[in-house]
Amino acid sequence: MFVRIWRFRVHPEKADECRVAYGPAGPWAELFGRVAGYCGTELMKSAGDPNTYFTMDLWESSETWAAFLRAWGEDYAALDRKCESLTLSEFELGEFRDLSERKGDSAQDK
């Protein structure tokens, strides 16, 4: 499993729109779902700051993520521009790999 985690500070008046856009059935998840190997998106709200959210985009592997970008990079950039108005800031916390051993994982993902 390969996971990309983002932190967002949202405009308080746009919180509902943000939850839809970045949620597991929103336009980001729909875009990612164009590629086999996308495993879902999780959206979480900070317990300490009502305007801070985190997303975790789950992929089978880093290769799956790279294949998505090659195929849909322009659409990704366009959706990113469209969603800019929902947030005060966004920050990629990083890319992470599941360390549990699974049959079929590539050596690069371990």
mmCIF file with all atom_site columns, all heavy atoms in Angstrom, residues 12 15 17-18 26 51-53 62 66 76 89 94 106 109:
data_model
loop_
_atom_site.group_PDB
_atom_site.id
_atom_site.type_symbol
_atom_site.label_atom_id
_atom_site.label_alt_id
_atom_site.label_comp_id
_atom_site.label_asym_id
_atom_site.label_entity_id
_atom_site.label_seq_id
_atom_site.pdbx_PDB_ins_code
_atom_site.Cartn_x
_atom_site.Cartn_y
_atom_site.Cartn_z
_atom_site.occupancy
_atom_site.B_iso_or_equiv
_atom_site.pdbx_formal_charge
_atom_site.auth_seq_id
_atom_site.auth_comp_id
_atom_site.auth_asym_id
_atom_site.auth_atom_id
_atom_site.pdbx_PDB_model_num
ATOM 1   N N   . PRO A 1 12  ? -13.584 28.741 6.607   1.00 0.00 ? 12  PRO A N   1
ATOM 2   C CA  . PRO A 1 12  ? -14.696 28.231 7.425   1.00 0.00 ? 12  PRO A CA  1
ATOM 3   C C   . PRO A 1 12  ? -16.034 28.210 6.681   1.00 0.00 ? 12  PRO A C   1
ATOM 4   O O   . PRO A 1 12  ? -16.799 27.245 6.816   1.00 0.00 ? 12  PRO A O   1
ATOM 5   C CB  . PRO A 1 12  ? -14.741 29.194 8.614   1.00 0.00 ? 12  PRO A CB  1
ATOM 6   C CG  . PRO A 1 12  ? -13.346 29.724 8.715   1.00 0.00 ? 12  PRO A CG  1
ATOM 7   C CD  . PRO A 1 12  ? -12.832 29.790 7.294   1.00 0.00 ? 12  PRO A CD  1
ATOM 8   N N   . ALA A 1 15  ? -16.359 25.018 4.352   1.00 0.00 ? 15  ALA A N   1
ATOM 9   C CA  . ALA A 1 15  ? -16.057 23.703 4.929   1.00 0.00 ? 15  ALA A CA  1
ATOM 10  C C   . ALA A 1 15  ? -16.909 22.600 4.313   1.00 0.00 ? 15  ALA A C   1
ATOM 11  O O   . ALA A 1 15  ? -16.405 21.508 4.035   1.00 0.00 ? 15  ALA A O   1
ATOM 12  C CB  . ALA A 1 15  ? -16.223 23.736 6.447   1.00 0.00 ? 15  ALA A CB  1
ATOM 13  N N   . GLU A 1 17  ? -18.295 22.489 1.314   1.00 0.00 ? 17  GLU A N   1
ATOM 14  C CA  . GLU A 1 17  ? -17.810 22.248 -0.057  1.00 0.00 ? 17  GLU A CA  1
ATOM 15  C C   . GLU A 1 17  ? -16.506 21.456 -0.026  1.00 0.00 ? 17  GLU A C   1
ATOM 16  O O   . GLU A 1 17  ? -16.297 20.562 -0.850  1.00 0.00 ? 17  GLU A O   1
ATOM 17  C CB  . GLU A 1 17  ? -17.567 23.561 -0.782  1.00 0.00 ? 17  GLU A CB  1
ATOM 18  C CG  . GLU A 1 17  ? -18.799 24.322 -1.175  1.00 0.00 ? 17  GLU A CG  1
ATOM 19  C CD  . GLU A 1 17  ? -18.420 25.627 -1.846  1.00 0.00 ? 17  GLU A CD  1
ATOM 20  O OE1 . GLU A 1 17  ? -17.946 25.591 -3.011  1.00 0.00 ? 17  GLU A OE1 1
ATOM 21  O OE2 . GLU A 1 17  ? -18.581 26.678 -1.196  1.00 0.00 ? 17  GLU A OE2 1
ATOM 22  N N   . CYS A 1 18  ? -15.654 21.784 0.908   1.00 0.00 ? 18  CYS A N   1
ATOM 23  C CA  . CYS A 1 18  ? -14.364 21.093 1.030   1.00 0.00 ? 18  CYS A CA  1
ATOM 24  C C   . CYS A 1 18  ? -14.569 19.629 1.376   1.00 0.00 ? 18  CYS A C   1
ATOM 25  O O   . CYS A 1 18  ? -13.933 18.753 0.786   1.00 0.00 ? 18  CYS A O   1
ATOM 26  C CB  . CYS A 1 18  ? -13.511 21.782 2.088   1.00 0.00 ? 18  CYS A CB  1
ATOM 27  S SG  . CYS A 1 18  ? -11.858 21.103 2.232   1.00 0.00 ? 18  CYS A SG  1
ATOM 28  N N   . GLY A 1 26  ? -15.982 12.306 -3.627  1.00 0.00 ? 26  GLY A N   1
ATOM 29  C CA  . GLY A 1 26  ? -15.885 13.591 -4.294  1.00 0.00 ? 26  GLY A CA  1
ATOM 30  C C   . GLY A 1 26  ? -15.128 13.534 -5.612  1.00 0.00 ? 26  GLY A C   1
ATOM 31  O O   . GLY A 1 26  ? -14.702 12.460 -6.071  1.00 0.00 ? 26  GLY A O   1
ATOM 32  N N   . ASN A 1 51  ? -11.001 23.864 11.348  1.00 0.00 ? 51  ASN A N   1
ATOM 33  C CA  . ASN A 1 51  ? -10.733 24.273 9.965   1.00 0.00 ? 51  ASN A CA  1
ATOM 34  C C   . ASN A 1 51  ? -9.584  23.499 9.331   1.00 0.00 ? 51  ASN A C   1
ATOM 35  O O   . ASN A 1 51  ? -9.144  23.837 8.237   1.00 0.00 ? 51  ASN A O   1
ATOM 36  C CB  . ASN A 1 51  ? -10.460 25.772 9.896   1.00 0.00 ? 51  ASN A CB  1
ATOM 37  C CG  . ASN A 1 51  ? -11.642 26.578 10.376  1.00 0.00 ? 51  ASN A CG  1
ATOM 38  O OD1 . ASN A 1 51  ? -12.780 26.271 10.038  1.00 0.00 ? 51  ASN A OD1 1
ATOM 39  N ND2 . ASN A 1 51  ? -11.387 27.578 11.193  1.00 0.00 ? 51  ASN A ND2 1
ATOM 40  N N   . THR A 1 52  ? -9.101  22.469 10.013  1.00 0.00 ? 52  THR A N   1
ATOM 41  C CA  . THR A 1 52  ? -7.998  21.670 9.485   1.00 0.00 ? 52  THR A CA  1
ATOM 42  C C   . THR A 1 52  ? -8.478  20.257 9.178   1.00 0.00 ? 52  THR A C   1
ATOM 43  O O   . THR A 1 52  ? -9.132  19.611 9.997   1.00 0.00 ? 52  THR A O   1
ATOM 44  C CB  . THR A 1 52  ? -6.828  21.614 10.487  1.00 0.00 ? 52  THR A CB  1
ATOM 45  O OG1 . THR A 1 52  ? -6.335  22.942 10.678  1.00 0.00 ? 52  THR A OG1 1
ATOM 46  C CG2 . THR A 1 52  ? -5.690  20.748 9.963   1.00 0.00 ? 52  THR A CG2 1
ATOM 47  N N   . TYR A 1 53  ? -8.156  19.814 7.967   1.00 0.00 ? 53  TYR A N   1
ATOM 48  C CA  . TYR A 1 53  ? -8.538  18.485 7.488   1.00 0.00 ? 53  TYR A CA  1
ATOM 49  C C   . TYR A 1 53  ? -7.296  17.782 6.955   1.00 0.00 ? 53  TYR A C   1
ATOM 50  O O   . TYR A 1 53  ? -6.327  18.415 6.550   1.00 0.00 ? 53  TYR A O   1
ATOM 51  C CB  . TYR A 1 53  ? -9.567  18.586 6.364   1.00 0.00 ? 53  TYR A CB  1
ATOM 52  C CG  . TYR A 1 53  ? -10.898 19.113 6.812   1.00 0.00 ? 53  TYR A CG  1
ATOM 53  C CD1 . TYR A 1 53  ? -11.117 20.467 6.995   1.00 0.00 ? 53  TYR A CD1 1
ATOM 54  C CD2 . TYR A 1 53  ? -11.955 18.245 7.062   1.00 0.00 ? 53  TYR A CD2 1
ATOM 55  C CE1 . TYR A 1 53  ? -12.343 20.955 7.417   1.00 0.00 ? 53  TYR A CE1 1
ATOM 56  C CE2 . TYR A 1 53  ? -13.190 18.713 7.478   1.00 0.00 ? 53  TYR A CE2 1
ATOM 57  C CZ  . TYR A 1 53  ? -13.377 20.073 7.654   1.00 0.00 ? 53  TYR A CZ  1
ATOM 58  O OH  . TYR A 1 53  ? -14.587 20.546 8.071   1.00 0.00 ? 53  TYR A OH  1
ATOM 59  N N   . SER A 1 62  ? 3.501   2.767  -5.417  1.00 0.00 ? 62  SER A N   1
ATOM 60  C CA  . SER A 1 62  ? 3.967   4.045  -5.957  1.00 0.00 ? 62  SER A CA  1
ATOM 61  C C   . SER A 1 62  ? 3.912   4.031  -7.486  1.00 0.00 ? 62  SER A C   1
ATOM 62  O O   . SER A 1 62  ? 3.686   5.064  -8.112  1.00 0.00 ? 62  SER A O   1
ATOM 63  C CB  . SER A 1 62  ? 5.387   4.354  -5.474  1.00 0.00 ? 62  SER A CB  1
ATOM 64  O OG  . SER A 1 62  ? 6.287   3.330  -5.843  1.00 0.00 ? 62  SER A OG  1
ATOM 65  N N   . ALA A 1 66  ? 2.215   6.783  -9.973  1.00 0.00 ? 66  ALA A N   1
ATOM 66  C CA  . ALA A 1 66  ? 2.955   7.352  -11.103 1.00 0.00 ? 66  ALA A CA  1
ATOM 67  C C   . ALA A 1 66  ? 2.203   7.140  -12.420 1.00 0.00 ? 66  ALA A C   1
ATOM 68  O O   . ALA A 1 66  ? 2.154   8.042  -13.269 1.00 0.00 ? 66  ALA A O   1
ATOM 69  C CB  . ALA A 1 66  ? 4.357   6.748  -11.172 1.00 0.00 ? 66  ALA A CB  1
ATOM 70  N N   . TYR A 1 76  ? -5.532  16.344 -13.169 1.00 0.00 ? 76  TYR A N   1
ATOM 71  C CA  . TYR A 1 76  ? -5.153  16.538 -11.768 1.00 0.00 ? 76  TYR A CA  1
ATOM 72  C C   . TYR A 1 76  ? -4.840  18.015 -11.516 1.00 0.00 ? 76  TYR A C   1
ATOM 73  O O   . TYR A 1 76  ? -5.343  18.614 -10.553 1.00 0.00 ? 76  TYR A O   1
ATOM 74  C CB  . TYR A 1 76  ? -3.943  15.662 -11.452 1.00 0.00 ? 76  TYR A CB  1
ATOM 75  C CG  . TYR A 1 76  ? -3.427  15.771 -10.037 1.00 0.00 ? 76  TYR A CG  1
ATOM 76  C CD1 . TYR A 1 76  ? -3.869  14.905 -9.045  1.00 0.00 ? 76  TYR A CD1 1
ATOM 77  C CD2 . TYR A 1 76  ? -2.470  16.710 -9.698  1.00 0.00 ? 76  TYR A CD2 1
ATOM 78  C CE1 . TYR A 1 76  ? -3.384  14.982 -7.754  1.00 0.00 ? 76  TYR A CE1 1
ATOM 79  C CE2 . TYR A 1 76  ? -1.980  16.810 -8.403  1.00 0.00 ? 76  TYR A CE2 1
ATOM 80  C CZ  . TYR A 1 76  ? -2.441  15.944 -7.439  1.00 0.00 ? 76  TYR A CZ  1
ATOM 81  O OH  . TYR A 1 76  ? -1.964  16.031 -6.158  1.00 0.00 ? 76  TYR A OH  1
ATOM 82  N N   . SER A 1 89  ? -4.803  27.074 2.921   1.00 0.00 ? 89  SER A N   1
ATOM 83  C CA  . SER A 1 89  ? -3.481  26.504 2.658   1.00 0.00 ? 89  SER A CA  1
ATOM 84  C C   . SER A 1 89  ? -3.617  25.001 2.497   1.00 0.00 ? 89  SER A C   1
ATOM 85  O O   . SER A 1 89  ? -4.572  24.388 2.969   1.00 0.00 ? 89  SER A O   1
ATOM 86  C CB  . SER A 1 89  ? -2.507  26.813 3.793   1.00 0.00 ? 89  SER A CB  1
ATOM 87  O OG  . SER A 1 89  ? -2.905  26.180 4.986   1.00 0.00 ? 89  SER A OG  1
ATOM 88  N N   . GLY A 1 94  ? 3.388   14.020 3.039   1.00 0.00 ? 94  GLY A N   1
ATOM 89  C CA  . GLY A 1 94  ? 4.342   13.064 2.508   1.00 0.00 ? 94  GLY A CA  1
ATOM 90  C C   . GLY A 1 94  ? 3.685   11.869 1.859   1.00 0.00 ? 94  GLY A C   1
ATOM 91  O O   . GLY A 1 94  ? 2.471   11.750 1.777   1.00 0.00 ? 94  GLY A O   1
ATOM 92  N N   . SER A 1 106 ? 6.073   -4.901 -4.786  1.00 0.00 ? 106 SER A N   1
ATOM 93  C CA  . SER A 1 106 ? 7.364   -4.749 -5.445  1.00 0.00 ? 106 SER A CA  1
ATOM 94  C C   . SER A 1 106 ? 8.432   -4.430 -4.404  1.00 0.00 ? 106 SER A C   1
ATOM 95  O O   . SER A 1 106 ? 8.146   -3.915 -3.338  1.00 0.00 ? 106 SER A O   1
ATOM 96  C CB  . SER A 1 106 ? 7.309   -3.629 -6.482  1.00 0.00 ? 106 SER A CB  1
ATOM 97  O OG  . SER A 1 106 ? 7.206   -2.377 -5.853  1.00 0.00 ? 106 SER A OG  1
ATOM 98  N N   . ASP A 1 109 ? 8.565   -0.866 -3.063  1.00 0.00 ? 109 ASP A N   1
ATOM 99  C CA  . ASP A 1 109 ? 7.551   -0.416 -2.117  1.00 0.00 ? 109 ASP A CA  1
ATOM 100 C C   . ASP A 1 109 ? 7.765   -0.947 -0.700  1.00 0.00 ? 109 ASP A C   1
ATOM 101 O O   . ASP A 1 109 ? 6.978   -0.671 0.168   1.00 0.00 ? 109 ASP A O   1
ATOM 102 C CB  . ASP A 1 109 ? 6.149   -0.818 -2.600  1.00 0.00 ? 109 ASP A CB  1
ATOM 103 C CG  . ASP A 1 109 ? 5.680   0.105  -3.726  1.00 0.00 ? 109 ASP A CG  1
ATOM 104 O OD1 . ASP A 1 109 ? 6.323   1.146  -3.929  1.00 0.00 ? 109 ASP A OD1 1
ATOM 105 O OD2 . ASP A 1 109 ? 4.697   -0.237 -4.382  1.00 0.00 ? 109 ASP A OD2 1
#
